[in-house]
Amino acid sequence: MKIIGLTGGIGSGKSTVAQLLEQQGWVLVDADRIARDIVEPGQPALTELADAFGQDILLPNGSLDRGLLASRAFASREKTDLLNSITHPRIQEETQARFEAARQGGAEFVVYDMPLLVDKGLHRDMDATIVVDVDAEERVRRLVEYRGLEETDARRRIAAQIPDDVRRAAADFVIDNNGPREALDGQVAGVVEKLHALLGSRDS
Ligand code: ADP
């Protein structure tokens, strides 16, 4: 089984590309999804977070008040480290479990959709890395128009990530998503074709 990293700046179209890869028969492991799943009610990390940051971070229905946790966890470096010490091991464990489940299920290609893949140097563990690339100004426009973010918030989030040229330099394949949504189909099919040829075929 090959694990292909998929990354890009916020608003670049990773989720859109991930869906196209799923349609090509790849199994999706979504890092953002895992980060949410490990703090669902009933998960040990949620109990530990409430013990560490206050029981009132739990809403009446038992789910996490993300805003309140964020305000406390990002108040200092020490608190952020505490948050990470609770969530990171669970995230890593769950990520490995999903890779293993894909392997058991006979998957040949897994796409690991991870916004911070290059920021964290995880691209080095991948069999290959795909970067979805869009000019920052266009990403701001899409985040404001389609995702309802405030422009300043969109710019702040983009500025908090590694520069686009550093991310691009880590790519084995760059998908240019500056054009219309339809221009992705052919590019994704081309990358899949190349990766199957390089790393294995659907039938082998
Ligand atoms: P990411 O997962 O990288 O943050 P998304 O896949 O959610 O990005 O894309 C951000 C937004 O831009 C979404 O609303 C998506 O539908 C839209 N989008 C993606 N590709 C294009 C495109 N080529 N043209 C216009 N809008 C696009």
Side-chain angles (χ1 to χ4, degrees):
M1 184 180 84
K2 305 297 179 192
I3 301 178
I4 311 302
L6 173 68
T7 194
I10 179 169
S12 60
K14 285 180 302 299
S15 313
T16 311
V17 170
Q19 276 173 16
L20 293 174
L21 290 168
E22 269 190 297
Q23 286 166 20
Q24 298 272 343
W26 290 19
V27 173
L28 171 63
V29 174
D30 180 337
D32 281 345
R33 183 70 202 260
I34 291 173
R36 286 196 302 273
D37 286 353
I38 60 124
V39 293
E40 281 288 307
Q43 295 298 314
L46 186 58
T47 312
E48 283 180 36
L49 286 172
D51 290 344
F53 291 97
Q55 297 301 322
D56 57 337
I57 64 163
L58 300 178
L59 293 165
N61 68 3
S63 68
L64 177 62
D65 183 339
R66 290 172 181 283
L68 189 56
L69 173 64
S71 71
R72 291 183 184 160
F74 299 122
S76 70
R77 181 62 203 258
E78 209 177 28
K79 294 283 182 191
T80 308
D81 288 347
L82 178 60
L83 169 74
N84 290 339
S85 73
I86 294 169
T87 56
H88 282 183
R90 262 49 186 262
I91 290 172
Q92 273 162 20
E93 197 181 312
E94 185 58 28
T95 305
Q96 292 309 317
R98 292 191 190 190
F99 288 155
E100 190 49 37
R103 195 186 309 277
Q104 297 288 332
E108 224 185 322
F109 281 85
V110 167
V111 52
Y112 179 39
D113 179 351
M114 172 45 155
L116 301 180
L117 191 81
V118 180
D119 309 48
K120 289 179 180 288
L122 295 172
H123 60 288
R124 290 190 279 268
D125 300 333
M126 300 290 114
D127 290 296
T129 293
I130 302 171
V131 168
V132 186
D133 192 44
V134 179
D135 290 346
E137 284 305 312
E138 176 63 10
R139 280 155 57 206
V140 170
R141 199 189 67 73
R142 289 179 191 172
L143 287 169
V144 169
E145 184 168 346
Y146 303 123
R147 292 248 210 103
L149 264 65
E150 293 289 339
E151 184 180 331
T152 47
D153 188 27
R155 289 190 189 282
R156 190 179 51 76
R157 289 178 190 227
I158 288 173
Q161 299 186 328
I162 53 163
D164 292 346
D165 55 345
V166 176
R167 191 185 298 104
R168 265 195 308 270
D172 297 296
F173 298 92
V174 175
I175 290 181
D176 179 353
N177 192 24
N178 284 291
R181 158 75 190 69
E182 300 70 46
L184 286 177
D185 300 334
Q187 291 187 79
V188 169
V191 169
V192 165
E193 194 71 26
K194 283 195 187 113
L195 278 167
H196 282 236
L198 273 170
L199 300 175
S201 78
R202 271 164 228 234
D203 306 317
S204 66

